[in-house]
Amino acid sequence: MTAYRFIGLSALAAAFAAALASTPVHAADYYAAKTIELVVGGDAGGGYDIYARTLARHITRHIPGAPNIIVKNMPGAGSSRAGVYMSAVAPKDGTSIAALMPGAIIGPLLDDKPNLQFDPAKVIYVGTADSGVRICTTFHNSKIKSFADAQRNKTILGASAAGGATRDYAYMHNKTAGTKFEVVSGYQGTVDIALAMERGEVDGLCGWDWSSVKSQKSDWVRDKKLNLLVQVSLAPLAELSDLGVPHIFKFVTNENERVVAELVISQQVFQRSYILPPGTSPEAVDILRKAFNDTMSDAQFMADAEKMRISITPLPGAEVQEVIRKLYATPKEFVDRAKTAIKP
């Protein structure tokens, strides 16, 4: 095991079970006749949007007063725009929740010029719906068929802006695994990059959530239109291993580079996180955290999630909060190395 470990998955699972068993005290009419805005820091139709809308269809049944929930898309800066909105503008009464990409949460730790308007350590975490796996992939007609091919040959990848996983992960693989990815930034998100792959503008992309691949492009998976180069996570996913997709740490052979890669990849533990503004009333926090936990074990929600082809591997808000605290206490040596790894 490396010099610095960020997550104890068995401890998280135990904490989640304890959270499910707890029952916060709340006023039955707190949310009566209220409307909650669920702000998605990504484009309509993208993976984060699909998750948020699926959650919105079910969580209201677990909130006393059954408030109306309106989903709003606020893409920009790897969802940091939505984070700034939550920190500076959104009401603190529990009527505003945001779904953020993990890059927005880890960005202030790794960015050279972080947006000081958003501090991920100060917002309140309702929970995360998925602590999943990301992949690197190319379109079926690309000459790059494997990760080993990408280590030997130039591969053109589509990517979003700095702070987005599609950009940062590509550079991380170049620095820690010796790939020769050439990154074309500026795409709005994975939906646009997938179109660029189909048009032949790029070979593929990295940092694509496997759950999003299955929900956005299930036909591509079914018809084998993707070359799955590598799975990226702290631990391999059996589903992908069974498909013959190698795990990233097969290719990261230097111990110091492995530590750096683990720091960047650790953000996937809070892959589908939902936050509240700093200073949100404790009563609202308790209600929403319990509602989130209850939704994650709700049979109707799980059936809907299966229909939408999204992965549900949740963690409760209090545990996510502790993960963030530990992440932001990472020794500077590793943080500095990780900053270099995700740059061109």
Side-chain angles (χ1 to χ4, degrees):
M1 201 59 71
T2 57
Y4 193 83
R5 278 292 184 188
F6 306 99
I7 309 299
L9 293 180
S10 60
L12 296 184
F16 182 50
L20 288 176
S22 64
T23 307
V25 177
H26 56 264
D29 59 353
Y30 185 91
Y31 277 102
K34 289 184 179 179
T35 295
I36 297 174
E37 63 171 1
L38 177 48
V39 178
V40 181
D43 293 307
Y48 288 83
D49 183 67
I50 292 170
Y51 266 83
R53 292 180 189 275
T54 305
L55 176 68
R57 287 195 290 272
H58 297 274
I59 193 172
T60 187
R61 290 187 284 105
H62 298 282
I63 302 175
N68 187 35
I69 298 181
I70 298 176
V71 178
K72 301 178 180 179
N73 293 90
M74 192 180 290
S79 82
S80 290
R81 180 185 172 207
V84 171
Y85 169 78
M86 293 299 286
S87 295
V89 179
K92 303 179 186 298
D93 60 356
T95 59
S96 188
I97 306 172
L100 295 190
M101 300 177 185
I105 296 171
I106 201 171
L109 182 69
L110 299 180
D111 293 348
D112 287 332
K113 296 180 180 179
N115 190 329
L116 299 179
Q117 293 178 285
F118 175 53
D119 186 344
K122 290 184 178 178
V123 296
I124 299 168
Y125 294 82
V126 177
T128 183
D130 188 31
S131 50
V133 176
R134 288 173 168 166
I135 63 165
C136 284
T137 186
T138 57
F139 206 50
H140 66 97
N141 56 6
S142 170
K143 67 179 181 180
I144 306 300
K145 305 294 186 183
S146 68
F147 199 77
D149 287 343
Q151 290 177 309
R152 293 188 294 263
N153 304 290
K154 182 179 78 171
T155 308
I156 300 174
L157 299 184
S160 58
T166 52
R167 180 181 182 273
D168 291 355
Y169 275 48
Y171 288 129
M172 177 190 71
H173 295 319
N174 283 349
K175 300 290 180 60
T176 63
T179 48
K180 297 181 179 179
F181 292 137
E182 184 174 302
V183 181
V184 179
S185 299
Y187 290 97
Q188 190 69 28
T190 55
V191 173
D192 285 345
I193 300 171
L195 287 172
M197 291 167 60
E198 212 165 17
R199 292 192 298 260
E201 295 174 5
V202 299
D203 287 299
L205 75 159
C206 283
W208 200 0
D209 299 319
W210 176 236
S211 55
S212 292
V213 178
K214 293 190 292 183
S215 59
Q216 293 173 298
K217 293 294 181 182
S218 61
D219 56 328
W220 284 10
V221 176
R222 181 196 65 216
D223 299 337
K224 302 186 186 304
K225 288 189 174 182
L226 293 173
N227 302 311
L228 304 178
L229 308 185
V230 72
Q231 55 172 307
V232 184
S233 56
L234 292 177
L237 178 69
E239 177 188 5
L240 285 169
S241 296
D242 290 344
L243 292 174
V245 184
H247 190 246
I248 185 57
F249 290 120
K250 173 184 176 181
F251 304 99
V252 182
T253 56
N254 179 279
E255 185 68 13
N256 288 335
E257 300 300 347
R258 183 183 176 107
V259 172
V260 170
E262 284 185 341
L263 172 55
V264 177
I265 294 169
S266 68
Q267 65 186 270
Q268 294 169 211
V269 171
F270 43 89
Q271 190 155 298
R272 306 286 179 179
S273 58
Y274 296 86
I275 69 167
L276 299 169
T280 297
S281 67
E283 184 177 17
V285 173
D286 287 346
I287 293 171
L288 292 175
R289 281 182 169 177
K290 182 180 186 303
F292 180 86
N293 291 344
D294 290 346
T295 303
M296 292 299 103
S297 60
D298 179 275
Q300 292 181 50
F301 169 75
M302 292 302 295
D304 198 3
E306 183 175 358
K307 177 182 176 182
M308 299 304 297
R309 299 184 177 89
I310 58 177
S311 170
I312 303 298
T313 54
L315 294 173
E319 194 60 39
V320 177
Q321 201 89 43
E322 180 62 11
V323 169
I324 304 302
R325 186 193 67 77
K326 290 181 178 178
L327 191 62
Y328 273 78
T330 301
K332 185 175 183 299
E333 173 190 359
F334 298 125
V335 172
D336 289 344
R337 289 180 182 175
K339 284 182 178 180
T340 300
I342 61 175
K343 291 179 182 176

